[in-house]
Amino acid sequence: MGCGTSCSTKDRKSEKVFISHGSAALKAALIIQNWYRGYSARLKARQRYALTIFQSIEYADEQGQLQLSKFFSFMLENYTHIHEKDPELVARLFGSTLQDCKDRQEYVSCIDVPDSYNGPRLQFPLTFTDIDILLEAFKQQQILHAHYVLEVLFETKKVLKQMPNFTHVKTSPSKEITICGDLHGKLDDLFLIFYKNGLPSGSNSYIFNGDFVDRGKHSMEILMILFVSFLVYPNDLHLNRGNHEDFMMNLRYGFTKEILHKYKMHGKKILQILEDVYTWLPIGTIIDNEILIIHGGISESTDLNLLHRIERNKMKSVLMPPIPLDEDHDTDLKTKVGATIIPREVKTNGSLSEQLTKHEWEQVINILWSDPRGKRGCYPNKSRGGGCYFGPDITSKVLNKYQLKMLIRSHECKPEGYEICHGGKVVTVFSASNYYEEGSNRGAYIKLCCDMTPRFFQYQVTRTTCSRPLYQRVNAIESSAIRILKERMISRKTALIRAFQLQDHSKSGKLSMAQWAFSMENILGLDLPWRSLSSHLVTTDKNGNINYMSSFQDIHIQKPVKEAQSTLIETLYRYRSDLQIIFNVIDTDHSGLISMEEFRAMWKLFSSHYSIPIDDFQVDELAERMDLNKDGSIDFNEFLKAFYVVHKLDKLSKSDSNLP
Amino acid sequence: IIASEYHKKIKDAFEVFDHEANNTVDVREIGTIIRSLGCCPSEGELHDLIAEVEEEEPTGYIRFEKFLPVMTEVLLERRYRPIPEDTLLRAFEVLDPSKRGFLTKEELIKYMTEEGEPFSQEEMEEMLSAAIDPESNSIHYKDYIAMMVVDDS
């Protein structure tokens, strides 16, 4: 750690220029080094803070997602009330569309690939040539035609159905296996992995540990490459289901939008088949009977034997828990809504035989959502709202129970692309570099072979050939993180101001740092280093007190209609992601339109479940104002897009990046 | 009151590096944490501080319970104050006796990696990436300092 000479503060203050050049140079060098190390450390800390912000908000969003799933359960359980008001709505929501997608011939053959199509053409049965064709095409930014997408999906489902819940794999000295974590639609990372590590083949095995889709812009391309590779090498390319291989997550986190945008009218069919394909993805892989590979983690009650046995395809969406249906309830469903409207295979949750038991369902949730932590024991995962936090004692207990040595999982973004914890028994591998923002983190993959220690390979995709200096990268991710944090603040402005004012007894508009930090943490529900972040969010006076209203001065939510009330706008902005999902679910023909009655019914249910104190008629009025062509239907994408945050100090006005 | 605010500040900074959420951080990150709190210890001073907060038998991890009191003292005593801008400027000027207004890349590398508490290769590359003017392959230190000071505040 440098040579032994230390420079005391006294020396620094009274430095003189000595005649001997050497000694002065030494002192000068020390000063510069000291300053630089301090500066560099502060940069790295800022980078960490930014990552903490991104991560907290990401997990808080996942919590929001769980809340939404409870809302759907609530709707299901109260179907009678909905039914009375609108029988068609019930049918739309809970009716089956699975009947439609059974016949493959009908789908694939009725979509022609025109001669004018310049994109990649696949030939079934697929061979390694098709993998090359796809890779080349995607490098040229081409899109695979819906006809081929559907064929690939059907074939993949057929082959996946034959796979067990856990694939058992053996390695040998000549056959290593490579394990990749979350890719999240980041195609460049997959290209980089294949470039560094070679394409999948009979002698180059891969495991992709879930979360192939959502967030990034090329989820479809990644999925196609992985599925095609799987079809060519079903015994050497292994796919595990992640928490994002779930149609409800896709609705919020971007994949559904990507599909509808790239495939337009064929998108609906693709979405329907995809829902099904997801449920057939295996739960995990076990290597050499020693290493367990699953997406999230474990809990103290993880029962691998049970997990080997369950009918995994009954897990439609991890966010739609099985509803307790007894005999009477079941009959009720049929008689009230009519046997013809709801056939036995209900889209969401139906009769008992179509669901997992609550116990089985929880087992799967824990596998897909849990995170390891240093604290001993097993307790609910508060930040995500699903799965649990498991400690090193839980890891030891579960691994010992099944005579396993290690757990490899993904699910969490790590700055170095991987992280080892629990005394080496748990490894996290994450393969999407620059996940939150360019420069936020590296990606990594693991190479394993029997009896050898795992080897880790890291990388980072950069858009330009020479990466920017550290301070520029840190500035970029820091301003991006602060931006989304401010957007979150403004979506809870009313509650925040109320909390601030409650503490501001003298009505001075100022609070102490401690008071301000307390309210921020309480209202926003984010565990962040508020004191360190305060300089980015508020102004302080010369006594160090916070001017709490200053956060809201340079930012506001754009009002889609002049007369609309601020609190209404704020509420709609806050719940816009949830509303988008609900509307997407109602809009079964994916037209982008819902009727005014549907909108009203949905809003009433939503606001009562979420206890939102907004007058129904205000929302009505707003919706009517926005029904621009007065035909009684609302283009809900337009409706929701209208709520965006304006950052007044932006030179280029950027609409908020939070919409999936 | 001041001490408790310092406690919170120290806790915030510590937690951001506490990956397993078990109140420990890797000893290699302690320097970053201390510096992020605004202090500028030299490498030698840092070494001494680490010795104070380490376990009897060094485990490679530092526990928060040991770190907090030591760090609070450091902040209360205002130890390891940061270098003022003009001191920094004069240091560069000492290395540039002919007053050209810049240092060549080779000169900077020589001083930073051979004198004082030498930089590692990674530190040197990092500094160069931001400091160097690619056309002249030199560091115009006055501009560089001005830019860094703004960024750091």
Side-chain angles (χ1 to χ4, degrees):
Chain A
M1 252 208 244
C3 67
T5 339
S6 60
C7 188
S8 73
T9 14
K10 233 172 75 163
D11 275 357
R12 257 191 261 151
K13 280 197 177 139
S14 58
E15 69 154 23
K16 291 179 193 163
V17 179
F18 290 82
I19 303 165
S20 152
H21 177 66
S23 168
L26 171 73
K27 283 187 167 22
L30 276 170
I31 289 172
I32 297 172
Q33 285 156 347
N34 183 309
W35 163 80
Y36 184 76
R37 286 182 169 121
Y39 167 74
S40 167
R42 283 185 289 279
L43 267 187
K44 297 205 170 88
R46 280 164 61 196
Q47 187 177 36
R48 272 308 160 80
Y49 286 145
L51 284 179
T52 307
I53 294 175
F54 283 126
Q55 205 160 58
S56 303
I57 293 186
E58 178 181 13
Y59 296 170
D61 270 351
E62 287 178 352
Q63 246 195 72
Q65 185 72 341
L66 190 76
Q67 255 235 306
L68 190 63
S69 84
K70 290 193 180 131
F71 172 61
F72 279 114
S73 302
F74 162 75
M75 281 199 319
L76 262 172
E77 284 165 30
N78 292 282
Y79 65 87
T80 36
H81 301 295
I82 311 169
H83 169 65
E84 271 150 28
K85 301 223 173 107
D86 189 343
E88 262 189 40
L89 181 59
V90 183
R92 280 258 226 132
L93 280 171
F94 309 127
S96 170
T97 48
L98 279 175
Q99 301 281 55
D100 312 342
C101 64
K102 283 284 153 61
D103 193 9
R104 173 218 180 115
Q105 287 300 102
E106 179 205 313
Y107 269 111
V108 179
S109 59
C110 75
I111 301 182
D112 279 326
V113 185
D115 289 333
S116 57
Y117 169 68
N118 276 328
R121 289 169 188 264
L122 302 174
Q123 268 204 324
F124 288 79
L126 298 170
T127 62
F128 65 85
T129 320
D130 295 289
I131 303 179
D132 279 330
I133 290 176
L134 269 191
L135 289 170
E136 275 318 301
F138 292 154
K139 281 183 186 147
Q140 316 275 345
Q141 313 277 0
Q142 290 171 358
I143 294 183
L144 182 67
H145 197 278
H147 174 102
Y148 296 115
V149 172
L150 286 166
E151 270 208 274
V152 168
L153 289 177
F154 275 115
E155 282 298 314
T156 304
K157 175 179 162 180
K158 227 168 61 178
V159 180
L160 281 177
K161 265 176 115 154
Q162 295 159 20
M163 302 260 150
N165 292 349
F166 285 86
T167 312
H168 287 255
V169 173
K170 290 224 170 302
T171 59
S172 66
S174 56
K175 194 171 176 183
E176 276 184 309
I177 191 161
T178 306
I179 302 162
C180 300
D182 298 26
L183 284 168
H184 281 301
K186 304 266 186 166
L187 190 55
D188 285 341
D189 287 278
L190 186 58
F191 285 154
L192 189 54
I193 294 172
F194 283 164
Y195 176 72
K196 281 171 73 106
N197 195 52
L199 293 180
S201 72
S203 54
N204 194 13
S205 296
Y206 275 91
I207 298 177
F208 285 92
N209 202 16
D211 279 11
F212 323 124
V213 301
D214 274 336
R215 297 183 173 271
K217 299 203 174 73
H218 296 101
S219 300
M220 182 49 94
E221 285 71 36
I222 291 208
L223 208 59
M224 284 298 109
I225 293 173
L226 292 180
F227 283 169
V228 166
S229 306
F230 167 71
L231 289 170
V232 178
Y233 300 109
N235 297 320
D236 295 295
L237 190 125
H238 309 279
L239 300 170
N240 293 339
R241 192 175 184 184
N243 62 314
H244 279 261
E245 274 70 58
D246 178 325
F247 77 96
M248 279 203 59
M249 294 295 276
N250 294 162
L251 280 169
R252 183 190 280 260
Y253 290 103
F255 190 28
T256 308
K257 200 174 176 191
E258 183 188 322
I259 292 178
L260 292 174
H261 177 71
K262 284 180 177 158
Y263 293 100
K264 309 214 184 330
M265 47 179 211
H266 297 311
K268 175 200 172 191
K269 295 190 185 103
I270 293 176
L271 284 169
Q272 282 176 343
I273 315 293
L274 192 55
E275 250 178 69
D276 224 18
V277 174
Y278 282 155
T279 65
W280 284 108
L281 285 166
I283 297 172
T285 322
I286 297 179
I287 300 181
D288 294 332
N289 283 324
E290 282 184 344
I291 305 181
L292 176 63
I293 323 252
I294 44 179
H295 178 73
I298 53 177
S299 77
E300 63 190 340
S301 59
T302 291
D303 182 349
L304 281 184
N305 294 325
L306 176 75
L307 285 165
H308 268 77
R309 287 193 316 257
I310 62 169
E311 292 175 74
R312 69 180 189 269
N313 65 306
K314 288 184 179 170
M315 185 63 138
K316 298 283 172 225
S317 165
V318 301
L319 295 171
M320 295 184 108
I323 49 174
L325 281 178
D326 51 20
E327 281 272 302
D328 297 333
H329 215 151
D330 200 9
T331 340
D332 242 15
L333 242 174
K334 286 218 195 92
T335 48
K336 292 239 171 181
V337 193
T340 47
I341 299 177
I342 299 193
R344 267 186 308 130
E345 261 194 276
V346 174
K347 182 176 184 178
T348 48
N349 296 291
S351 56
L352 280 167
S353 62
E354 296 308 318
Q355 316 183 96
L356 293 173
T357 65
K358 190 147 193 287
H359 179 65
E360 289 169 343
W361 184 83
E362 267 165 17
Q363 289 274 327
V364 180
I365 293 277
N366 287 329
I367 296 288
L368 296 175
W369 285 77
S370 300
D371 293 313
R373 285 292 180 268
K375 189 164 147 191
R376 299 172 65 83
C378 185
Y379 41 105
N381 192 324
K382 306 190 274 94
S383 5
R384 297 198 198 250
C388 62
Y389 289 130
F390 61 99
D393 53 329
I394 304 293
T395 300
S396 298
K397 182 173 144 211
V398 173
L399 289 182
N400 287 339
K401 184 172 173 193
Y402 299 102
Q403 285 131 25
L404 298 165
K405 291 204 181 135
M406 198 196 299
L407 169 65
I408 299 182
R409 42 86 67 177
S410 306
H411 196 43
E412 282 183 291
C413 175
K414 298 291 177 193
E416 293 299 314
Y418 73 95
E419 191 171 274
I420 305 176
C421 64
H422 291 192
K425 294 202 175 133
V426 175
V427 175
T428 305
V429 61
F430 193 86
S431 302
S433 67
N434 304 327
Y435 178 58
Y436 293 116
E437 184 61 71
E438 183 163 343
S440 64
N441 64 291
R442 291 187 158 120
Y445 58 86
I446 307 175
K447 289 188 83 83
L448 269 188
C449 183
C450 52
D451 299 336
M452 279 168 54
T453 41
R455 293 184 294 147
F456 297 87
F457 294 81
Q458 295 166 299
Y459 53 85
Q460 195 159 15
V461 171
T462 44
R463 247 183 266 138
T464 48
T465 43
C466 8
S467 47
R468 298 183 288 171
L470 183 64
Y471 81 94
Q472 274 185 17
R473 284 182 276 139
V474 172
N475 277 335
I477 77 170
E478 186 180 60
S479 50
S480 183
I482 296 295
R483 205 184 169 80
I484 65 174
L485 187 53
K486 279 184 154 174
E487 284 172 6
R488 205 153 184 96
M489 281 173 69
I490 200 150
S491 75
R492 285 154 180 80
K493 178 176 168 183
T494 313
L496 275 171
I497 295 180
R498 204 181 315 133
F500 292 149
Q501 285 173 339
L502 266 171
Q503 296 187 85
D504 180 15
H505 304 297
S506 56
K507 308 265 174 275
S508 57
K510 296 182 200 271
L511 287 177
S512 71
M513 176 68 83
Q515 288 171 315
W516 179 80
F518 175 77
S519 296
M520 290 293 279
E521 175 133 349
N522 239 325
I523 301 294
L524 296 179
L526 296 172
D527 181 12
L528 292 174
W530 295 109
R531 285 161 182 78
S532 312
L533 296 173
S534 59
S535 56
H536 296 289
L537 300 172
V538 280
T539 57
T540 34
D541 66 12
K542 51 180 161 54
N543 298 321
N545 290 319
I546 309 270
N547 301 313
Y548 56 81
M549 291 302 289
S550 57
S551 313
F552 306 111
Q553 272 156 17
D554 60 347
I555 180 170
H556 69 259
I557 304 171
Q558 186 66 20
K559 281 191 189 173
V561 166
K562 222 174 15 131
E563 299 83 358
Q565 270 199 18
S566 300
T567 36
L568 170 62
I569 301 297
E570 183 184 316
T571 306
L572 287 170
Y573 175 76
R574 178 174 168 183
Y575 290 106
R576 71 203 186 293
S577 300
D578 302 299
L579 290 172
Q580 185 155 39
I581 295 174
I582 296 172
F583 292 150
N584 268 305
V585 169
I586 301 176
D587 177 29
T588 46
D589 61 359
H590 295 287
S591 59
L593 301 171
I594 54 170
S595 72
M596 283 297 289
E597 296 85 67
E598 284 168 337
F599 177 78
R600 282 196 192 97
M602 221 13 78
W603 176 257
K604 277 192 171 54
L605 270 177
F606 186 81
S607 57
S608 79
H609 181 76
Y610 280 78
S611 309
I612 299 173
I614 296 269
D615 279 335
D616 289 342
F617 98 90
Q618 277 182 0
V619 181
D620 258 6
E621 222 177 60
L622 186 65
E624 259 176 76
R625 291 276 173 83
M626 299 189 65
D627 173 16
L628 296 169
N629 53 5
K630 304 287 172 242
D631 63 351
S633 66
I634 299 174
D635 181 335
F636 58 83
N637 284 314
E638 290 306 312
F639 177 74
L640 291 170
K641 252 197 247 166
F643 299 93
Y644 62 93
V645 172
V646 175
H647 297 261
K648 284 191 201 153
L649 302 179
D650 264 3
K651 290 189 190 109
L652 329 132
S653 143
K654 210 167 138 187
S655 62
D656 72 77
S657 42
N658 242 352
L659 278 173
Chain B
I1 296 179
I2 297 184
S4 82
E5 270 305 297
Y6 278 156
H7 283 171
K8 299 250 172 61
K9 247 188 115 167
I10 296 168
K11 184 164 189 286
D12 275 354
F14 192 88
E15 270 176 4
V16 159
F17 289 89
D18 176 13
H19 307 300
E20 289 194 46
N22 59 356
N23 289 327
T24 65
V25 300
D26 190 317
V27 65
R28 290 165 295 184
E29 313 219 80
I30 281 288
T32 312
I33 298 175
I34 295 175
R35 287 169 172 141
S36 76
L37 287 163
C39 302
C40 278
S42 67
E43 290 291 280
E45 288 163 333
L46 185 60
H47 204 70
D48 296 336
L49 262 178
I50 289 179
E52 264 190 80
V53 295
E54 240 172 357
E55 304 295 316
E56 298 279 311
E57 302 267 331
T59 58
Y61 288 97
I62 306 293
R63 284 186 301 124
F64 182 64
E65 299 83 54
K66 282 201 112 175
F67 182 69
L68 180 62
V70 175
M71 195 65 221
T72 312
E73 282 266 311
V74 168
L75 288 182
L76 281 171
E77 290 173 16
R78 300 173 73 74
R79 264 191 263 163
Y80 317 127
R81 295 273 79 213
I83 316 240
E85 194 180 331
D86 51 337
T87 310
L88 186 57
L89 182 58
R90 272 182 286 143
F92 273 102
E93 284 171 352
V94 163
L95 300 181
D96 175 26
S98 40
K99 306 278 173 265
R100 298 161 299 174
F102 64 85
L103 291 175
T104 67
K105 180 174 168 185
E106 291 70 32
E107 284 168 347
L108 185 66
I109 292 179
K110 175 160 125 10
Y111 284 122
M112 293 295 102
T113 59
E114 289 175 24
E115 301 272 6
E117 292 174 327
F119 273 173
S120 67
Q121 195 187 359
E122 205 186 319
E123 284 172 317
M124 193 68 247
E125 278 171 12
E126 222 180 72
M127 183 180 191
L128 284 173
S129 74
I132 215 159
D133 167 26
E135 290 188 18
S136 57
N137 236 9
S138 62
I139 296 91
H140 295 266
Y141 47 83
K142 220 171 170 195
D143 297 333
Y144 173 59
I145 293 174
M147 186 167 62
M148 296 292 115
V149 162
V150 167
D151 192 51
D152 203 17
S153 60

